[in-house]
Amino acid sequence: MPSNQMSAGSGKAAKFVAANPLAPMADPFAGMDNDQREYQQALAENVNKRLEKAMGELKEKHQNGTNEIDDEDRAPTGDPYQRHKAEMERRKREHDRVMQRQREEEAKELKYRKEQAEHLSKFDENDDSDSDSGDELLIEYDDPDIERIRAERLQALKAKQMEMVQNKAKGHGQYRMIYQDDFLPECTGSKFVAVHFFHKEFERCKIMDHHLGLIAPAFLTCKFVRIDAEKAPFFVSKLQVKTLPTLIVFEDGKAINRLTGFEGLAKNPNEPDKWHTGKLQEWLAQTGAIQYRPPTEEVLEEMRRLGIKQHGSIWSSS
């Protein structure tokens, strides 16, 4: 199982380790005489050219949508890929709708608070007025729309509070270690579960642990757990986990999305391990597991002005 990091050594870990693409390669022709070296080098160059040509042709076919035979697991033109893409787009639209509804509710709440303040202000100004005027203000204050909004808001808060209590009882709010025998009960016991397949000797798995440890207490809608890939061979094979770290999100016991390595998280491709916790939160929000809206530049500027630190961090081994 490959990992984009330095080798962790021999033994059991060896099957999870692949070469670091950023590290210098050892000479594959070391120990050969000159004739063998020239022959092998020529053969390798020929094979590389043929591979590059084949990959170029394949890339062109995919870009033009003319691939004759779809690979059901990997081809961008294949039905499984298109279904997965459509599902992710649907989830993103649903996430956007939820965020829009939240903004509308916040706007209603703000309007309600402003109207309440205005009514109280009017009441104070007209404190010495006659009783009819006071009754009129009370009638105006007792607006049925405002009362409906307040009742809906109260009901939603109660339901959310009950859900939080139930989720905490299931292990939400903490980042826990689980084992192979716990896997199915944990993944089917909550609506959303994020599972980190890790190896104890892989540095990048420690980076993923760092960020998930910050996210888990802040988002109770999703359960966050980690499992040692070496000690869970059945699920590693069943879920085709081939690279570590791998983060898989389950909804109602079904795997709906996965993050392989740190794909798409780092701004600078030359520094793939340096990314902020917020990038992982954005990815999780797109799956529907959590509700997160990245702060705008204006909000960030105001936070900096007030000395408020953004939740999360960038990993540092020091």
Side-chain angles (χ1 to χ4, degrees):
M1 184 175 299
S3 171
N4 294 329
Q5 60 183 35
M6 295 301 292
S7 173
S10 58
K12 290 184 178 180
K15 65 181 180 179
F16 294 108
V17 178
N20 182 352
L22 302 179
M25 290 184 62
D27 184 2
F29 309 116
M32 298 182 182
D33 58 36
N34 291 336
D35 291 340
Q36 287 180 318
R37 178 186 290 271
E38 291 178 3
Y39 172 75
Q40 292 295 339
Q41 285 178 337
L43 179 62
E45 289 176 2
N46 181 269
V47 171
N48 285 336
K49 288 180 181 179
R50 292 170 61 187
L51 282 173
E52 289 175 1
K53 180 180 179 182
M55 291 299 294
E57 292 175 351
L58 184 61
K59 182 179 179 181
E60 183 179 357
K61 288 177 181 179
H62 284 313
Q63 289 175 341
N64 297 333
T66 58
N67 188 40
E68 293 90 345
I69 301 176
D70 289 345
D71 180 339
E72 291 187 352
D73 294 324
R74 301 181 64 86
T77 55
D79 288 341
Y81 175 88
Q82 296 297 337
R83 287 196 298 269
H84 176 74
K85 181 181 178 182
E87 176 64 16
M88 289 301 100
E89 290 176 350
R90 184 192 68 78
R91 288 179 179 277
K92 186 177 184 303
R93 290 194 299 270
E94 180 62 25
H95 171 69
D96 293 341
R97 283 197 292 269
V98 170
M99 292 298 100
Q100 180 62 29
R101 285 198 297 269
Q102 285 187 348
R103 287 191 289 269
E104 291 173 356
E105 289 296 325
E106 290 171 358
K108 290 179 181 178
E109 182 73 12
L110 181 60
K111 179 182 177 183
Y112 161 69
R113 292 184 181 277
K114 286 182 177 179
E115 291 178 348
Q116 185 181 37
E118 290 173 1
H119 283 305
L120 291 175
S121 176
K122 289 180 181 179
F123 185 79
D124 290 338
E125 291 173 359
N126 296 278
D127 190 40
D128 296 331
S129 61
D130 57 30
S131 59
D132 291 340
S133 178
D135 292 341
E136 185 177 323
L137 280 172
L138 289 174
I139 293 171
E140 183 182 359
Y141 176 75
D142 191 21
D143 186 275
D145 289 335
I146 293 178
E147 289 299 321
R148 177 181 57 80
I149 293 172
R150 182 164 51 182
E152 290 176 354
R153 181 68 171 168
L154 184 60
Q155 184 177 2
L157 287 173
K158 288 182 178 179
K160 187 175 182 180
Q161 184 67 23
M162 180 61 68
E163 182 184 8
M164 288 174 60
V165 171
Q166 293 174 348
N167 284 343
K168 282 186 176 181
K170 296 176 183 178
H172 294 231
Q174 52 185 308
Y175 184 44
R176 299 181 292 112
M177 174 83 168
I178 65 170
Y179 300 91
Q180 183 162 268
D181 291 344
D182 307 323
F183 189 88
L184 286 178
E186 291 284 1
C187 290
T188 57
S190 298
K191 182 172 180 60
F192 286 105
V193 182
V195 183
H196 171 208
F197 285 84
F198 75 96
H199 191 286
K200 61 185 178 182
E201 297 180 19
F202 288 0
E203 187 71 10
R204 285 191 167 179
C205 292
K206 297 177 184 177
I207 297 175
M208 182 64 77
D209 283 337
H210 166 77
H211 292 288
L212 290 175
L214 294 174
I215 293 173
F219 297 94
L220 298 181
T221 56
C222 181
K223 181 193 297 179
F224 292 90
V225 295
R226 60 199 295 263
I227 187 168
D228 191 335
E230 272 195 312
K231 298 179 181 179
F234 175 79
F235 292 106
V236 166
S237 174
K238 186 73 174 177
L239 296 168
Q240 298 183 5
V241 177
K242 300 177 181 178
T243 301
L244 298 178
T246 288
L247 181 64
I248 302 181
V249 175
F250 295 85
E251 181 181 4
D252 295 326
K254 180 181 178 182
I256 59 171
N257 208 345
R258 71 174 59 201
L259 180 66
T260 302
F262 300 153
E263 184 179 3
L265 298 180
K267 290 183 178 180
N268 186 351
N270 295 322
E271 295 181 324
D273 296 345
K274 292 185 177 181
W275 45 273
H276 194 273
T277 309
K279 297 299 293 182
L280 184 54
Q281 291 175 177
E282 288 183 42
W283 182 85
L284 287 165
Q286 290 176 3
T287 69
I290 67 173
Q291 292 184 6
Y292 172 75
R293 186 172 55 199
T296 63
E297 188 58 39
E298 292 80 3
V299 172
L300 289 174
E301 180 62 30
E302 184 67 12
M303 290 171 65
R304 286 191 288 266
R305 188 183 69 82
L306 297 174
I308 301 173
K309 187 177 180 181
Q310 187 179 3
H311 176 75
S313 67
I314 296 176
W315 163 262
S316 175
S317 57
S318 59

